[in-house]
Structure formats: C-alpha cells, structure tokens
C-alpha cells in the first residue's frame, strides 16, 4: 500500500466537529477506578453474554491491511502495513537460537513469562536505522531459497495479518499459537453451543483470521515442505517504548512530540535458525482448525491440515536436544522472543500438535511420538526410559510426574493430557488429567478454617491500600481487612489414589473407573486460595490460569459426565463476573460493574504517548479479561498497572472455552441457569459501555475528541497582544494523522477602519513559536497569512496553515498582533484586542506556559471545509450545504462500497430490498456486520433504517451519485 493511501489526509472525512463521548452515572471521579453499581449487582451466570464480549477482544487486536474492512470495531483500522514490505535481508544483529531450561532454572516461574517486565533494552535499535531491520536469515540461506521466499522478486516479504499480542503490537510466536489453538479447542469441544448461542460466525471469523496468517507466514517448497515459518514480527524492546494506537505506528509521522514508528523485523524458523517450539505450536492450531472446518469448508480444512503436517514434520526435523536416556532432556532449538515469552522447552508443543494430528488422522504414530518408551532398556529399578516427548516430564516408567501446572502459553501439558487420556485410556494419563483439577479445586484444612472465620487481615502496601480504600467506587469498601463476601465452592479435599507410579504407566483404565478409586487425603497439597476462594498460582495475570483450569474442567466433565470440577470452575467464573470483594467484573464492560482501565494502547488511545492521558480510556475494550486479583482478593484497576490489568490474547483464549462449557452444562436450554443466559440484543461493539468512559480533563471538565482548537493570551499591552493557538488532533474513530488543516483567529479593527486606515498595512504580526518547525527539525513550518478581511464590520482574521506535518496529538503556534504608527503623523494607530471575536475564551499563559482554553471561536478547516468552531457570522460545520461525510470509519483503502448491504460487490435495488427485509425480520434476514455498515448511507451513524433503503433507490434512479454516499442533509 502506498503511504499516501495509508494516511488519507482529510479531516473533513473524519469529523465534522469534535464530539463528547457519552456520560455515565456510576463512574468514579476522574481518578482511575472501576465502575461499580451497588444497586444493580451483576448477573453472575450469564455465560452467553460474557462469551459474546470475550470474542470481541480479538477484533481489537487484529493487525494488518484488512482490519479496516472486517466490519467489527469502527475505532480499529489498517495498521502496520509495513509488515507487507519487510526487507528480505539479513538483520543486524542476528539473534541466537534459544536453549531450554532445566527444572531448577524454571523454579516456580514456568508459564508466567515477564510480559511487559521483559523489556531489557529500552531503546533497542532506535538510534541506528540499520539495526533490527530485515529477517534472521543469512545471505546464503536467502539466495538458496529465494524461489520460495520471494517468488515475485521484489526483495520484500508480505507478513501482514495476525494478532497483536496484548496492549503492545508485537506478533509474538508462542502466545499467538497458544491463543489460536486454545480458542479453537474450546470451539471444537462446544461447537453446538456456540451455534445455539449465535456466536459461531464470530468465533469462526477469529479462527480464520489467525490461522490464515499462520499459513501465510509459512513458506513451502515445491514438495510441500517448510522452507521457513515466520513466528514473530516486531521487536518487544522497541515496540514497548511507544504508548499509542497501532494505527499511529507509521514511519515519518509524529505523535505528541516524537514518532511512534517501530522496528518490525521478522523472525523465522529455518534449518539454520530452528524454532521447533514455534513450528509445533502453529501446527497444533492448524490441526484444530482442520477439525473445526472439515464439515463446512472441506477445501479450507484440507489446506489447514496440509500446513499443520508440514510444520509438525519440520518441527521434528529441526528439534535438537541434550539428552541421555533416563535423564531430563534440554531442548536446544527454541525460537527468539526478546525476553518476553521465553520458552521452557518444546516437548509440550510437539505433544500438543501430535495429539491433535491424531484426532485429525487417527494415525497412532502421532500418539507414539508422545508416549513411546524404550522397552528393550531398563534401569536398576526395572523401569523403561521414555523416548517420546513425555521424557521431559517423566524420565522413565517408574515416575508419573504430577502436572500441577495448568494449560498456558508456555506449558500446554494440561491440554495435552486432557486430549491424550481419552485416547490412550491408561491410568497414568487419566491420573494426570484428574490430579491437575484436584490440585486447583481443593483446599487444605487450614485454608478451610481460615475461610470459615470470615475475616482475614491483609498487610497491603501503601499503593494498594490507597487504591482499595481510597476509591470507594472501585474498592467497594475493601480495606486492610478483607471480609468474606462469598462461600466458595470446593470440589474436593482429598486425592484419588490411582496406584503406584511404576504400575499405572501402562495400566488400562477408562474414566468410569475413577469414581470407585480410594481416597488419599493429602491435606496441604492444593493450590493457594484467597480468603474468598480465588485460586492463585501466580499473581501476574492470575485470571488467565483460573480460566484455563476451567476449560480443562469443562473438557473433563464432557469426557466423564462428572461435573465436580465444572462446578468449581463455575464458582471461579462467578468470582470473575463480579461476585468478589472488589464488587466488579474482571471482564471489561460486563453487566453493570466492571474494570475500565485495561493495559491496552488501542483502547486507551492516548495523543500524548502517556498511560495517564487521557484519564479515562477512550474506547471500551469489550470482553477483555484483565489480569485479575491477588491472594488477598485485591485488584488495582489502573492502566499503568500491567500486573493487575494486563490484557492479552492468551488471557482470553481459555476464557472463551471455559464460558462455552459453562453455558453447555449450566446455562443452555433446560439447565439451571437457562433464564440468566442471553446475548446483548443489537450489540454495537463500537459504542462504549454505559459508564466509565467519559472524556474529561484533570478537573473533571468535558474533553472533546476529534479536531478542535484551544487558545491563550499573554503580554497584553495597549494595542497589541501575544496569542497562542493550539490545534488538537484527537481523532479516535479511528485515530489517524492530519497534515493539511488551517486555523483562523478573528479580531476586530473597526476603530482603524473608521479612522481610514487599511488594516493590512497598519496591523503587524510577529511569529514567536512554531512547534511544527521544531518537531520536524526545521523541515516544515506553519504558513502564516497576514490579516484578511472577513466582513464589512471591521472583522479580520489571520490564518495558520499546517501542511505535510502528519501529526497526532497537538500543535502549538504563538504569534503577536500589534499596530504600526501612522506613516505621515507618526502617531500610534490603536485598536483594542479585548473585544476581538476570538479573544473571549482565551486564558493567560503568562504564569503557566501550557495554559490554553478550548474555544469554538478559533475555527479549523480541512480541505477548505469548516470542521470546528463558529465563524463570526454564526456559520458552523453543520451549515455546510453539501452532504457531509460520515464520522464513522470507512476503510483506509477507500474500498468500502457504500450501499452494498448484501455484500455482492455492487449497489442495486436488491440492497434496498435486503435492508427492508432486515428491518422487518432481523432474525431471518439479518445483515452481516459489514453489510450493516455498508447499508448505513443516510445520516451515517444512526443505524440501518428505511431512509437508507430509500437513498439506495434514489441512487438506482440516478437522482444521486455513488460518490455522494454516505449523505447527511443538514439545515442551512
């Protein structure tokens, strides 16, 4: 895409005036806090609505040159189009292949990952344009494989697409493939429930989006074998420096005071730079994708399976390790991550891919790859060493490693055993599957006694105490004493005894035998619980692990018919949905009380590269699961606090499957919470939740969004004044750069005119400060025009023109106006600046340099169309006699076809009929999301109405032109 296509420099298309976002009656003061409505508690069992919202997170994290046309969020648009022209050249410096960790090195940190804490080099490559550009391939490798890497010979690679990882904009490998496979897993298990809830189309869109990207990023040779697989685009140590929306990460632009352009190198798995963990993770997702589409789109499914097999085979071929039979192996072929998502090893990803390929093919060789043992060899205790992938967690058949870690981005054994046990039907695999859920759901006697007391004293640090106790709407009364708000459900307090490790490894067993196994009481061998029963394995993003355990519990209940653990998972979900001491849901936007400050650049939409500005997030990040509470039931709802409020693809992945399972067992037709389950009708995910997203300044005053002006005054003397004009670009729907706008300051010199003086000769101006000049290193500057006549009443204006500046945020321009002496008499020619039209709203910046007041008496124009302010004669943007372009997004490419309601790529009477049918019967004739957006051609933004159908009929009758759409006829 050409750069000019990307930027679309027309503010007139973006906004006809700066608008205020909706107000909410339950929000806190401007201090950051969750929304709590104590008079209307949340529905803790509407799993259907929660899943409806949870899927939306992936739309917020879509990346590439097709985002603008996906039809979901209006405030998201095409981004990182530079991923389509990544130079096929060796990067400098070249990364190294990673080595796995021993159990001692892993400690308790397995599966946590440093996330935003992973940033090691805060300015990685910023100062050298040649660093971190290109691909991790040698010249020799590129030359040898250019036929398949660069078939068109243009020297670049197209790697657009995929998902941003979190609130950052890197496309990280392991969390990306984990999220895709786990989201697909939940759909595979509860496909009919997705359909019954009306959410199958949405989840399939997400699965196609990400799996299409995996296939696009996989380069095959003529024999269908992998040449290279791109598992990461972007560099976390560079990306995390910039707090701005993804649409604004464009080269040669400025957000606030600097560019947000980032390095976007591409990291590949190749024979010279293996990444067997990354390849296997993507293979698993594509295998699941085959299963999800094989009955509805066989060609697409077969393509997914082809790539899944190729990536899995490549992972096996490039896997290397340090290992002796009977010892714990160390993988030495792991991918790069920059320190953010470092893989422990690849044996679990290989197992995850293998078990799903078995489900695709019923080829038991894939199972053997996991569980194989060397039956010819025994140790001194008579045990056989494992030679399959399981050797990483069980060295020999004399050991059954207790998998107490849950399914997560780095360690997917929880998912592996959930799918392995029903295939092998061995006591070993059912034991590990079952034990993991016992560990999560049970609690010790001491913990039980603590909970029964109903009160636990917590030593909170000063920050958390202030956040919890000082902000009443967020904390709901929480303080240094956390009271028991609920009675947690406990699934078990004992463990089932499956037998001796050296016997159960190959002992046949089905799930039916588990119920009759003896109980083995192990009082203290359970996961830690908060006073209110919240299970916590890690304080950083605790909720992601609970929902993953919940998904495992749902699959266990589905396989066995035993809902013991499923009910525990429902208890944890009730906590997430608001039944907790904080009094709000940890899913953004859910019901009446919810977190509102996820750590997410796109929803926050800062124009200053600051997590603290604006105070409230601009957009509702519907359905995002924030990190969650700690062991004291405390949560801090602040954008800056990524420990509590990080949101990522992997957080929401298991959440979706967990919710689908909860609906299946407890919320579907005929179930106990059937009446509590429903979708939000006519849900428009581009609109904000009812409270918590007011745009206000630090004093609580309304703050516009869009293009608007502010001004200040200084050094006022008789007949002269120093002035400041600030032009704001806070376009948010979607955010985009501006480069060709004008602003006018109006003043009245009637006293000069009446005295016979020509103002153009006797009013002087002086330019004092041009921020654009400084930001562009003197390459660009504001064009300032001398006084121009506006009317016959002595009103004149000066005009400031910003051209080719590509800015987001604000631009400051200071100038002075004064008078010259009479050329003949040398007497002062005076005029009073205090009665000037644009002067009225100004505030002094004499004592505070940044002081400026928003004013509509400084007018702004884009493409010579008035878009902000009121001219002295009362003209406003609404007085434009021509149809005014929509404030709702069209695509950046300009390829939205207005009027194409039925998505047949043409506009005819058939589209009018489709609109009228949809209005008459939405259930039967529902328009697709993109069709609804295309159809809204009359007074765009008010939804699809009969006027839209009439407008299309007028188009068909040639009464209006296609270029007129969308139209909004305003009174002159």
């Amino acid at each position: 895409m050409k750069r000019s296509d990307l930027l679309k420099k027309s503010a007139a298309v973006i906004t006809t005036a700066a608008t205020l976002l909706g107000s909410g009656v339950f929000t806190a003061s401007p201090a950051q806090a969750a929304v709590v409505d104590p008079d209307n508690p949340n529905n803790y069992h509407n799993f259907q609505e929660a899943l409806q919202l949870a899927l939306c997170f992936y739309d917020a994290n879509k990346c590439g040159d097709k985002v603008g046309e996906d039809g979901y969020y209006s405030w998201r648009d095409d981004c990182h189009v530079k991923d389509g022209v990544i130079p096929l050249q060796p990067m400098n410096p070249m990364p190294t292949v990673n080595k796995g960790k021993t159990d001692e090195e892993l400690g308790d940190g397995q599966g946590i990952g440093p996330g935003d804490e992973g940033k090691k080099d805060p300015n990685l490559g910023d100062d050298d344009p040649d660093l971190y550009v290109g691909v991790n391939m040698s010249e020799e490798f590129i030359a040898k494989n250019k036929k398949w890497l660069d078939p068109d010979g243009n020297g670049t690679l197209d790697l657009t697409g995929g998902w941003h990882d979190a609130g950052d904009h890197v496309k990280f490998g392991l969390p990306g493939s984990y999220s895709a496979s786990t989201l697909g897993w939940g759909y595979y298990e509860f496909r009919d429930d997705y359909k019954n809830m009306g959410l199958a189309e949405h989840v399939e869109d997400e699965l196609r989006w990400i799996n299409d990207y995996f296939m696009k990023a996989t380069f095959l040779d003529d024999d269908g074998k992998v040449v290279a697989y791109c598992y990461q685009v972007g560099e976390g140590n560079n990306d995390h420096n910039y707090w701005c929306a993804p649409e604004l990460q464009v080269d040669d632009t400025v957000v606030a005071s600097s560019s947000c352009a980032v390095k976007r190198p591409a990291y590949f798995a190749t024979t010279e730079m293996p990444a067997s963990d990354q390849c296997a993770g993507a293979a698993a997702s594509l295998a699941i994708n085959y299963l999800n589409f094989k009955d509805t789109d066989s060609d697409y499914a077969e393509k997914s399976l082809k790539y899944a097999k190729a990536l899995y085979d490549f992972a096996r071929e490039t896997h290397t390790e340090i290992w002796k039979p009977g010892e714990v192996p160390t993988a030495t072929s792991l991918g790069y991550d920059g320190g953010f998502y470092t893989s422990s090893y690849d044996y679990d990803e290989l197992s995850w891919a293998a078990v799903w390929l078995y489900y695709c093919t019923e080829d038991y060789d894939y199972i053997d790859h996991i569980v194989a043992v060397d039956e010819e060899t025994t140790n001194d205790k008579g045990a056989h060493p494992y030679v399959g992938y399981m050797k990483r967690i069980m060295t020999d058949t004399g050991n059954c490693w207790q998998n107490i870690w849950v399914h997560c981005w780095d360690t997917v054994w929880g998912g592996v055993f959930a799918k392995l046990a029903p295939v092998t039907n061995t006591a070993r695999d059912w034991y590990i599957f079952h034990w993991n859920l016992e560990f999560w759901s049970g609690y010790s006697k001491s913990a039980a006694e603590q909970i029964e007391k109903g009160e636990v004293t917590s030593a909170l640090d000063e920050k958390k105490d202030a956040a919890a106790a000082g902000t009443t709407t967020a904390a709901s009364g929480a303080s240094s004493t956390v009271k028991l708000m609920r009675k947690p459900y406990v699934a078990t307090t004992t463990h089932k005894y499956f037998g001796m490790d050296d016997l159960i490894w190959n002992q046949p067993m089905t799930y039916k035998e588990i119920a009759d196994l003896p109980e083995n009481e192990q009082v203290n061998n359970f996961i830690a619980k908060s006073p209110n029963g919240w299970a916590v394995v890690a304080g950083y993003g605790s909720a992601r692990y609970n929902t993953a355990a919940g998904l495992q519990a749902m699959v266990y209940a589905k396989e066995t018919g035993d809902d013991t653990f499923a009910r525990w998972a429902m208890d944890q979900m009730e906590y997430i949905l608001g039944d907790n001491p904080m009094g709000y849901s940890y899913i953004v936007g859910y019901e009446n009380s919810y977190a509102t400050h996820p750590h997410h650049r796109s929803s926050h939409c800062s124009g200053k590269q600051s997590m603290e500005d604006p105070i409230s997030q601009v957009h509702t990040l519907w359905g995002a699961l924030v990190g969650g509470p700690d062991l004291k039931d405390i949560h801090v709802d602040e954008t800056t606090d990524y420990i509590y409020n990080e949101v990522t693809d992997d957080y929401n992945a298991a959440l979706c499957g967990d919710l689908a399972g909860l609906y299946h067992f407890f919320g579907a037709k005929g179930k106990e919470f059937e009446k509590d389950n429903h979708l939000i009708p006519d849900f428009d995910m581009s609109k904000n939740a009812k409270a918590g997203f007011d745009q206000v300044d630090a004093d609580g005053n309304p703050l516009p969004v869009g293009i608007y002006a502010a001004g200040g005054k200084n050094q006022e003397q008789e007949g002269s004044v120093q002035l400041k004009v600030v032009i704001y670009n806070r376009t948010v729907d979607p955010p985009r750069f501006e480069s060709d706008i004008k602003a006018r300051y109006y003043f009245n010199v009637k006293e000069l005119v009446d005295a016979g003086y020509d103002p153009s000769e006797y009013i002087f101006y002086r330019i004092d400060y041009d921020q654009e000049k400084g930001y562009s290193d003197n390459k660009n500057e504001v064009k300032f025009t001398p006084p121009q006549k506006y009317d016959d009443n002595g009103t004149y204006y000066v005009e400031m023109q910003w051209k080719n500046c590509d800015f987001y945020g604000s631009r400051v321009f200071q100038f002075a106006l004064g008078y010259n002496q009479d050329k003949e008499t040398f007497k002062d020619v005076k005029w009073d600046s205090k009665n000037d039209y644009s002067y009225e709203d100004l505030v002094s910046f004499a004592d505070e340099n940044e002081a400026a007041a928003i004013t509509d008496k400084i007018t702004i124009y884009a493409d010579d169309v008035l878009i902000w302010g009121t001219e002295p004669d009362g003209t406003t943007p609404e007085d434009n006699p021509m149809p005014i372009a929509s404030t709702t997004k069209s695509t950046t490419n300009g390829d939205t076809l207005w009027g194409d309601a039925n998505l047949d790529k043409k506009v005819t009477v058939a589209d009018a009929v489709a609109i009228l049918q949809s209005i008459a019967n939405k259930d039967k004739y529902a328009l697709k999301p993109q069709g609804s957006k295309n159809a809204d051609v009359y007074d765009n933004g008010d939804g699809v109405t009969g006027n839209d159908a009439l407008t299309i009929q007028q188009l068909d009758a040639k009464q209006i032109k296609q270029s007129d759409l969308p139209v909004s006829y305003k009174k002159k």
Side-chain angles (χ1 to χ4, degrees), residues 98 118-121 124 172 232 235-237 267 335-342:
N98 280 346
K119 186 165 62 175
K120 306 298 183 187
D121 302 302
L124 193 62
F172 283 113
Q232 178 175 321
E235 174 52 60
N237 285 297
Y267 296 91
Y336 171 87
D337 70 295
F340 292 84
Y341 290 97
T342 303

Side-chain angles (χ1 to χ4, degrees), residues 461-583:
D461 61 47
E462 184 177 346
K463 174 185 176 184
K464 296 174 188 174
D465 199 28
T471 309
T472 57
T473 51
S476 191
S479 65
S480 59
T481 299
V482 179
K483 294 184 180 298
L484 180 69
M485 308 293 292
R486 61 202 297 276
K487 187 173 179 63
Y489 173 83
V490 178
T492 180
T493 59
T494 60
H495 297 300
K496 289 287 187 181
Y497 180 66
F498 282 70
M500 298 293 290
D501 289 354
D502 57 352
L503 297 178
I504 69 173
W505 74 272
N506 67 348
Q507 178 180 313
M509 175 180 282
T510 67
Y511 70 86
K512 295 179 182 179
E513 301 170 60
I514 297 175
D516 296 328
L517 292 175
E519 303 287 346
N520 181 19
E521 185 170 353
Q522 298 181 34
V523 174
N524 294 313
N525 206 0
F526 297 96
I527 199 170
K529 301 290 198 308
S530 75
N532 286 269
W534 178 248
V536 178
V537 72
Y540 188 166
S542 64
R544 60 174 145 174
Y545 302 111
N546 293 60
T547 54
L551 173 55
Q552 291 177 212
M554 296 304 127
V555 175
Y556 185 87
K558 180 185 174 187
E559 294 289 349
T560 66
D562 180 358
D563 70 356
T564 300
F565 301 123
R567 288 194 172 275
W568 167 80
M570 181 168 63
D571 171 83
Q572 299 292 285
M573 188 59 70
E574 291 167 350
Y575 187 107
I576 288 173
L577 297 182
D579 184 15
N580 59 64
M582 301 301 289

Side-chain angles (χ1 to χ4, degrees), residues 525-819:
N525 206 0
F526 297 96
I527 199 170
K529 301 290 198 308
S530 75
N532 286 269
W534 178 248
V536 178
V537 72
Y540 188 166
S542 64
R544 60 174 145 174
Y545 302 111
N546 293 60
T547 54
L551 173 55
Q552 291 177 212
M554 296 304 127
V555 175
Y556 185 87
K558 180 185 174 187
E559 294 289 349
T560 66
D562 180 358
D563 70 356
T564 300
F565 301 123
R567 288 194 172 275
W568 167 80
M570 181 168 63
D571 171 83
Q572 299 292 285
M573 188 59 70
E574 291 167 350
Y575 187 107
I576 288 173
L577 297 182
D579 184 15
N580 59 64
M582 301 301 289
Y584 55 82
S585 169
Y586 296 118
I587 296 178
V588 177
Y590 179 77
E591 291 279 334
N592 302 311
S593 302
Y594 41 81
T596 63
H597 291 86
H599 185 76
H600 197 266
R601 290 155 173 79
S602 188
S603 62
H604 186 236
C605 202
S606 174
K608 293 187 176 180
Q609 293 199 48
S610 169
M611 297 183 199
E612 297 178 346
D613 191 316
I615 293 170
S616 299
Q617 299 223 343
V618 175
H619 304 293
T620 302
L621 191 64
W622 292 104
L625 178 66
V626 299
D630 58 24
L631 262 174
K632 302 182 180 82
D633 291 304
I634 294 297
H635 177 259
V636 179
D637 186 35
E638 292 182 5
T639 302
T640 56
D641 199 327
Y642 53 81
I643 299 297
Y644 287 98
N645 257 25
E646 183 88 82
V647 287
T648 75
D649 296 337
D650 68 286
Y651 286 21
N652 267 55
L655 170 68
C656 291
D658 190 4
L659 288 166
L662 288 168
Y663 173 84
H664 174 85
F665 290 110
F666 306 110
K669 187 175 181 180
K671 304 296 183 179
E672 60 187 285
F673 295 113
E674 174 189 356
K675 293 182 179 179
D676 289 325
N677 276 264
H678 52 79
L679 297 178
I680 301 174
D682 302 317
F683 177 50
D684 181 355
M685 58 196 282
S686 296
K687 292 184 178 179
N688 279 342
K690 65 182 180 182
F693 298 88
D694 302 322
Q695 290 300 288
V696 294
D697 62 20
D699 298 321
N701 300 314
L703 185 66
V705 295
I707 308 290
Y708 60 96
K713 58 188 178 181
N714 189 20
Q715 296 182 0
E716 294 179 90
Q717 300 173 5
E718 188 178 3
S720 67
V721 64
Q722 185 184 31
L723 300 161
K724 174 170 64 175
V725 172
V726 186
I727 303 301
Y728 289 90
N729 174 10
R730 288 193 71 219
T731 51
V732 299
D733 198 16
R736 62 183 71 193
F737 294 102
E738 280 311 317
S739 73
D740 189 7
I741 57 178
K742 303 175 182 178
R744 292 178 181 175
Y745 180 89
Y746 300 90
F747 57 97
N748 189 280
V749 288
K750 191 174 185 300
E751 55 266 61
L752 272 71
V753 175
D754 289 346
Y757 292 105
D758 181 354
S760 63
E761 295 183 18
Y762 282 89
I763 294 294
F764 73 82
Y765 67 88
R766 182 188 70 242
I767 298 174
D768 295 330
Y769 175 65
D770 181 358
Q771 194 175 60
E772 170 62 22
K773 192 173 182 178
Y775 284 174
S776 66
D777 196 21
N778 294 318
K779 295 176 182 177
N780 195 30
E781 62 183 350
V782 172
K783 181 180 179 182
F784 188 84
T785 65
Q788 305 290 313
K789 182 178 180 181
Y790 179 79
D791 60 25
D792 293 331
N793 297 318
T795 303
Y796 280 68
Y797 64 85
V798 289
E799 187 172 83
M800 294 138 276
Q801 300 178 6
W802 285 262
K803 294 180 69 68
N804 303 316
C805 55
D806 293 340
F807 80 94
Y808 188 88
S810 62
R811 282 292 179 274
V812 178
F813 186 79
Q814 291 182 12
F815 62 99
L817 292 176
Y819 61 84

Side-chain angles (χ1 to χ4, degrees), residues 228-549:
Y229 164 63
C230 179
Y231 58 85
Q232 178 175 321
V233 177
E235 174 52 60
N237 285 297
N238 179 256
D239 173 275
H240 285 45
N241 294 327
Y242 305 102
W243 188 263
C244 67
E247 292 81 4
L248 304 178
Q249 288 192 311
V250 180
D251 293 344
D252 301 321
T253 58
V254 177
V255 179
S257 61
S258 64
S259 174
C260 279
V262 291
K263 300 296 182 79
R264 304 285 288 181
Y267 296 91
F268 283 81
T270 63
T271 52
E272 67 172 0
M273 295 286 289
S276 47
D277 52 343
Q278 307 284 354
C279 295
S285 179
L286 287 162
I288 298 170
N289 209 47
Y290 163 79
L291 295 169
N292 282 328
F293 288 96
K294 66 184 180 67
D295 296 328
T296 56
D297 191 341
S298 59
D299 290 344
Y300 177 65
E302 288 295 336
K303 181 181 178 183
S304 297
L305 183 57
K306 171 188 174 182
Y307 276 82
K309 289 180 176 179
L311 282 165
Y312 176 73
D313 290 343
F314 189 67
R316 281 177 59 82
E317 292 166 9
T318 55
H319 164 81
T320 58
E321 63 186 17
I322 300 170
W323 175 63
K324 291 181 180 180
E327 296 183 0
V328 176
T330 299
T332 56
S333 53
L334 307 180
Y336 171 87
D337 70 295
F340 292 84
Y341 290 97
T342 303
S343 181
S344 299
Y345 44 75
D346 61 353
Y347 302 93
D348 55 330
E349 281 87 19
L350 286 162
S351 300
W352 186 229
V355 74
W356 282 110
L357 282 167
Y358 168 79
Y359 278 86
C360 294
T361 65
E362 297 187 356
D363 183 346
Y364 206 84
D365 285 348
Y366 288 114
I367 301 299
D368 282 337
H369 292 168
I370 306 171
V371 303
V373 300
D374 181 356
E375 297 185 1
E376 303 298 322
T377 304
T378 59
N379 60 18
D380 57 356
K381 295 183 180 179
H384 303 289
Y386 281 101
V387 294
Y389 308 135
M390 203 175 284
K391 67 188 178 185
R392 179 57 183 79
I393 54 174
M394 289 176 273
T395 56
D396 56 62
T397 57
N399 297 280
C400 281
W401 178 75
Q402 297 178 350
N403 177 35
I404 59 174
W405 201 269
V406 73
H407 187 66
C408 65
W409 67 265
D410 181 36
T411 310
V412 291
W413 290 117
V416 170
F417 283 100
K419 300 311 296 177
L420 188 63
V423 176
T424 62
N425 277 312
T426 63
R428 174 198 61 203
D429 297 343
W430 278 112
Y431 159 64
I432 294 174
F433 187 11
H434 184 271
W435 154 244
N436 189 279
L437 292 169
E438 285 180 329
F439 173 78
W440 273 82
S441 62
Y443 68 96
S444 67
K445 285 184 177 179
S446 60
E449 293 170 355
Q450 196 176 45
I451 289 174
E452 289 301 325
K453 290 179 181 178
E455 193 170 280
V456 177
T457 300
S458 303
L460 305 180
D461 61 47
E462 184 177 346
K463 174 185 176 184
K464 296 174 188 174
D465 199 28
T471 309
T472 57
T473 51
S476 191
S479 65
S480 59
T481 299
V482 179
K483 294 184 180 298
L484 180 69
M485 308 293 292
R486 61 202 297 276
K487 187 173 179 63
Y489 173 83
V490 178
T492 180
T493 59
T494 60
H495 297 300
K496 289 287 187 181
Y497 180 66
F498 282 70
M500 298 293 290
D501 289 354
D502 57 352
L503 297 178
I504 69 173
W505 74 272
N506 67 348
Q507 178 180 313
M509 175 180 282
T510 67
Y511 70 86
K512 295 179 182 179
E513 301 170 60
I514 297 175
D516 296 328
L517 292 175
E519 303 287 346
N520 181 19
E521 185 170 353
Q522 298 181 34
V523 174
N524 294 313
N525 206 0
F526 297 96
I527 199 170
K529 301 290 198 308
S530 75
N532 286 269
W534 178 248
V536 178
V537 72
Y540 188 166
S542 64
R544 60 174 145 174
Y545 302 111
N546 293 60
T547 54

